[in-house]
Amino acid sequence: MRDPVPAAPLAAIGLLSASALSYEILLTRIFAIVHWHHLVAIAISLALLGYGISGTFLALTSRRLEGHFAAAFIANAVLFGVSSLACTALAQRLPFDPQALGWDGRQWLYLTATFLILAVPFFAAANCIGLTLWRFKGQIPRVYGFDLIGAGLGAFVVLIALAFVHPATGLFAVFVSGMLVAVSAARTLRWHTGKVAAVALLLTGLVASWGRPVVEPAAYKDLALAMSAYGAVVEDARSGIAGAVHLVRNDKVPLRFAPGLSLNASALPPQQLAVFVDGDAAGTLGDYSGDDSTAYFRDLISALPYLLRQPRRVAVLNAATGERAQQALALGAATVTAVEPNPELHALACDRRAQRSRYLCDPGRVDWRVQAPRAFIGGNAGPFDLISLTAAADPTGLDALNIDFDLTTEAFRTYLGGLAPRGLLAIEGPTRVPPRLSMRMLDTARAALVADGIAQPALHIAMIRGWQRFVLLVSRDPLQPSDEDVIRGFSTARGFDLVWLPHIRPDEPNRHQQLNEPQFFLQAAAILGPDAGADATAPRYRVTAANDNHPFPALSTRWQDLWATLSRGDRSAISRLDTGLFVGTAMLALVGVASIVLIALPLAWLRRPPGRPAQTGLRIRTLGYFGLLGIAFLFLEIAWIQRLQLFLGHPVYATTAVLAAFLIFAGLGSLWSQRRSDATGRSRLWLAIMAILLFSLLYLSYLPGWLERLAGLSIAARIAIVLLFLAPLAFAMGIPFPAGLEALGKGSAQLIPWAWGINGCASVISAAAAPLLAIAIGLDGLIMVALAAYLMLPLIRPAQ
Amino acid sequence: MTKRFRISSIALLLLACAAPSGWAQGPGDAANRALWTEVESQISQLRDELGIDRLSPRVLEALMQVPRARFVPEDERRRAFENRPLPIGYGQTISQPLIVAAMTALLEVKPGDRIFELGTGSGYQAAILDALGAEVYSVEIVPELGARARDTLDELGHRGVQTRIGDGYFGWEEAAPFDAIIVTAASDHIPPPLIRQLKPGGRMLIPVGSRYVTQKLVLITRDERGAVKTRELLPVVFVPLTGTH
């Protein structure tokens, strides 16, 4: 029986779209906490997969659902709410361990299951929206408008909410939203309102009685490992947009974090509390109330610049909870500027410091700035005698795909510009053998000095290493022989090894931390020495300078090694690859197969209407047009999410702002396009392509410079600026899809589901492929590929 | 991003309107022999990196004698004869046999040597050192792991292993100095108390890497004058994961 439908459930649609987008953004945070935070593109890919599967599902089943719209809508709304909780919980129970993906076949099953499980909520939400568009054909613009506005608002609501509540609480809110959508729809559609409300209430009561949903780090993350230790307790937990912060105390097995401590050290680090952000170790809070509690600072490798130049004005970038700022104070700095972008870390440090350190939160000694380091130094801060920055890299390369604009050539130039005469830039980081991050930093320093017009960068650089850490010193002024003597003395006394000095002798390195070959020195010489670039010393890893176009400083695996390893099927060699790169490639393979199997292939079952010719040429053009469109749209979207992280300071801000902009303005572009006359379809397409080209090239050339000047504004202002800049570009990007459908609609409407499937597949695969391609061709290259794809569209428009 | 699907939905819907296995009980002698033969062969191949030619008969006998399967959880026992690390719970692993063999050989254990182990884990490494006649002092921070290891060691008669739950950072002062120290739970720095508890001429070994891949072994030596040096062995050229899995 066909159910009576008095009005479209517009409020329900708006709320549902808001909830679905909120869930998508929440997933990026949940991925960061449970696994690691590279997975922004994967969350987008998941959402697209769910929407794509829904499109195929509806194309195949819509006739059967025709008479049960209200029931189907409400069932899917309930499914969305319940699955947002249940699927997230279920996915966390899978013992997925990315580090074991290379050799444990079960991990592929877990990864596949994780993907399919987490696509369910998006599938349910898309079913509701698709069914409504189909059922209320006469009100499509209104339905679509509520959908877009809801999604746009959802992006901002979740962004604001994340500043105050943990993502787990956000999940509960998404569940409640799903229930409200069901009740609202039942009321609007006059379909068993009372019973639906009772079921929704019952489910809400049940879920509430179980307590807040759990979002916990996987067993392999630092926090989980720390908590497994005897006596570990969480003393404080707080959550913000920049991450979930945990403070762990252990009185039974006190934590001691002293990276780069000399083997000859006599003083011990004090008892510490450990700080974790999203389950990853992020710093410590030491007890510096004792007289000799800071003595060990002199024996850390990071003490070198202090003993070399006795800096008075020091900037500590990415200061976390202030341990390095404490070191600066202990080693003689008069004033310290501690720059930390995560407000929760600063708050935690200064809430807890009162009894532990007299000076660290004394505004007279330490000026705390909650800001991105590069924006702070670039905003004419300083000058400083020392700018100190700690670089991080996972020992297995899990963070290889992480974008870090603080460690690029452009960033180094900014830091060098913030130095006083004879000032030093000090970069400390972890060593691996063969050398990787250390050499990338060395080459980045070289590139920055060369870009600043310094002809002999080798005279401005020094590097030493311990068994786990390195320190790189860079100066705008050449290092003096007396400086080199101090560095030699420091290293000898503490058992560190020289890696590079302007006048280093070949017999000096590799004395204390011995390798079979002096690999660090040889590679440093290959970068800075007179034979720089010689093939004989070419490293087997990626050690070239990182820049804003290739902001992946932790990446060390070269493409040729990845392909060679994978093509040989040599599982033991996989352990030598960066885990993050391998996992990213695995995910691309997985979503590729999933999207083809679940979106495209089912559409092949759609029968051609009787009497229709095969239309091979048109099918090829349809494949090309909608495939290229999917690639082009997603590449632009991902490229801007990644590029704008520099301006917005955090992936969550960038993801939210860019998604909201593309959602709202591309949607408006689509609506505008649909309302225009059929006769202007081709010219509208050309107009849109030209606008996309114009704005993209304009932004590629000038936007970084414009945004750099605006980097000091508040985050709300910066998000508004991003929306403003992206609005015309996104508006134009909304036009080609309906233009293509419109062309197909004139006599080849039976190909529309096929076009839909192709676009869905291309979008899902592109979202996963974009980060990998960006490594190869850069973020600008990603944009150029997208523009090339857009340019081809008018040539292959699938018109009869 | 999801916009295309919404747009697509319009057209689509318009069209729609128009149109593991069990582990065999027993030591698995053949599999055990095959495992250690493979490890012995790999050690030989890595002689340049490790600085040792081969496993001594004493070490090989100890390795073959201690049943690795007894130190891993029930559901991992079928893999106990594979040359790879295995999870033992609490985010920890039992080391790859190759690493255990290399570390045991590099420690140059003599009967009666006093050895400190930071990180008991499964207890497997301690059992091998005990089988070589060493006096072993081992500390574990995860109580459940420590208790399980103690039970296993007792069941297998390794009474020469002293275990303790707690903080291994300060070593085992009452039993110091040690002829050798093994730090199986690598941290960001080498605890100064451990260096002080190492006898002149003693050797300390630290495997560094992730749970599944040992990227390097760090050998710390203290000469008769007290000078401390490190030597990195097995840098990443080493191939850690082999065998059928």
Side-chain angles (χ1 to χ4, degrees), chain B residues 18-92:
Chain B
S21 65
W23 174 66
Q25 290 298 314
D29 283 346
N32 196 34
R33 266 197 304 277
L35 168 66
W36 294 113
T37 303
E38 179 188 332
V39 167
E40 203 181 9
S41 158
Q42 287 181 332
I43 293 280
S44 297
Q45 289 166 22
L46 293 166
R47 67 173 70 85
D48 291 341
E49 286 86 354
L50 287 170
I52 50 174
D53 285 339
R54 53 193 290 273
L55 295 173
S56 71
R58 271 184 72 234
V59 169
L60 189 60
E61 187 188 340
L63 292 167
M64 294 186 77
Q65 179 193 330
V66 177
R68 188 175 185 241
R70 295 291 297 275
F71 292 87
V72 301
E74 198 81 32
D75 59 346
E76 294 290 346
R77 286 186 177 173
R78 65 194 168 87
R79 300 174 178 213
F81 299 113
E82 293 175 10
N83 188 13
R84 55 186 266 184
L86 295 170
I88 56 170
Y90 306 94
Q92 310 290 324

Side-chain angles (χ1 to χ4, degrees), chain A residues 69-79 128 181-183 185-187 189 191 196:
Chain A
F69 168 73
F73 185 105
I74 290 163
N76 274 290
V78 172
L79 176 62
C128 288
V181 168
V183 174
R187 191 162 174 272
L189 301 172
W191 193 84
V196 172

Side-chain angles (χ1 to χ4, degrees), chain A residues 723-744:
Chain A
L723 291 177
L724 192 70
F725 275 120
L726 290 184
L729 176 65
F731 186 89
M733 287 167 63
I735 293 170
F737 194 89
L741 290 182
E742 181 188 291
L744 268 188

Side-chain angles (χ1 to χ4, degrees), chain A residues 410-465:
Chain A
E410 294 85 346
F412 278 27
R413 292 185 68 190
T414 302
Y415 305 147
L416 290 170
L419 292 176
R422 282 184 52 79
L424 284 174
L425 168 63
I427 312 286
E428 182 198 351
T431 58
R432 283 173 81 179
V433 178
R436 305 183 198 189
L437 178 71
S438 53
M439 294 300 120
R440 288 207 90 169
M441 293 299 94
L442 193 71
D443 196 43
T444 304
R446 181 201 58 76
L449 289 167
V450 169
D452 277 353
I454 290 171
Q456 293 183 286
L459 302 179
H460 299 246
I461 291 174
M463 183 184 264
I464 64 170
R465 69 176 178 95

Side-chain angles (χ1 to χ4, degrees), chain B:
Chain B
M1 168 277 315
T2 53
K3 172 231 53 117
R4 284 168 317 294
F5 289 102
R6 295 184 173 91
I7 298 292
S8 303
S9 296
I10 299 170
L12 179 67
L13 295 166
L14 285 174
L15 175 81
C17 291
S21 65
W23 174 66
Q25 290 298 314
D29 283 346
N32 196 34
R33 266 197 304 277
L35 168 66
W36 294 113
T37 303
E38 179 188 332
V39 167
E40 203 181 9
S41 158
Q42 287 181 332
I43 293 280
S44 297
Q45 289 166 22
L46 293 166
R47 67 173 70 85
D48 291 341
E49 286 86 354
L50 287 170
I52 50 174
D53 285 339
R54 53 193 290 273
L55 295 173
S56 71
R58 271 184 72 234
V59 169
L60 189 60
E61 187 188 340
L63 292 167
M64 294 186 77
Q65 179 193 330
V66 177
R68 188 175 185 241
R70 295 291 297 275
F71 292 87
V72 301
E74 198 81 32
D75 59 346
E76 294 290 346
R77 286 186 177 173
R78 65 194 168 87
R79 300 174 178 213
F81 299 113
E82 293 175 10
N83 188 13
R84 55 186 266 184
L86 295 170
I88 56 170
Y90 306 94
Q92 310 290 324
T93 56
I94 183 171
S95 296
Q96 182 183 12
L98 174 60
I99 295 299
V100 174
M103 289 179 67
T104 307
L106 286 165
L107 281 179
E108 299 174 358
V109 182
K110 296 183 290 296
D113 273 359
R114 192 168 274 204
I115 300 177
F116 175 72
E117 181 186 39
L118 199 169
T120 313
S122 67
Y124 180 57
Q125 178 72 69
I128 289 167
L129 296 174
D130 179 55
L132 284 165
E135 206 177 307
V136 185
Y137 296 83
S138 184
V139 177
E140 172 59 49
I141 60 169
V142 182
E144 292 83 354
L145 277 182
R148 194 202 293 163
R150 183 70 265 170
D151 288 347
T152 311
L153 290 165
D154 286 344
E155 284 166 19
L156 295 173
H158 291 289
R159 310 284 176 201
V161 180
Q162 308 288 315
T163 58
R164 184 186 274 180
I165 304 295
D167 187 0
Y169 189 87
F170 294 98
W172 199 307
E173 195 70 58
E174 311 91 279
F178 297 101
D179 299 286
I181 293 176
I182 259 188
V183 181
T184 55
S187 70
D188 62 271
H189 67 281
I190 300 168
L194 295 193
I195 294 176
R196 285 198 289 272
Q197 289 177 23
L198 189 63
K199 274 185 187 171
R203 299 159 80 83
M204 186 189 305
L205 264 175
I206 303 180
V208 176
S210 69
R211 288 162 303 137
Y212 300 117
V213 182
T214 300
Q215 289 166 332
K216 60 185 176 186
L217 291 176
V218 179
L219 175 65
I220 297 137
T221 52
R222 190 172 188 202
D223 67 19
E224 300 298 336
R225 290 172 301 163
V228 181
K229 287 188 175 177
T230 73
R231 184 165 183 79
E232 295 198 2
L233 309 168
L234 291 182
V236 132
V237 289
F238 154 65
V239 178
L241 302 169
T242 57
T244 52
H245 43 263

Side-chain angles (χ1 to χ4, degrees), chain A residues 602-626:
Chain A
L603 291 172
W605 296 345
L606 281 180
R607 279 182 299 178
R608 198 167 63 232
R612 287 272 181 193
Q615 300 175 297
T616 307
L618 185 62
R619 277 176 181 264
I620 290 171
R621 287 207 303 279
T622 305
L623 172 70
Y625 185 92
F626 289 96

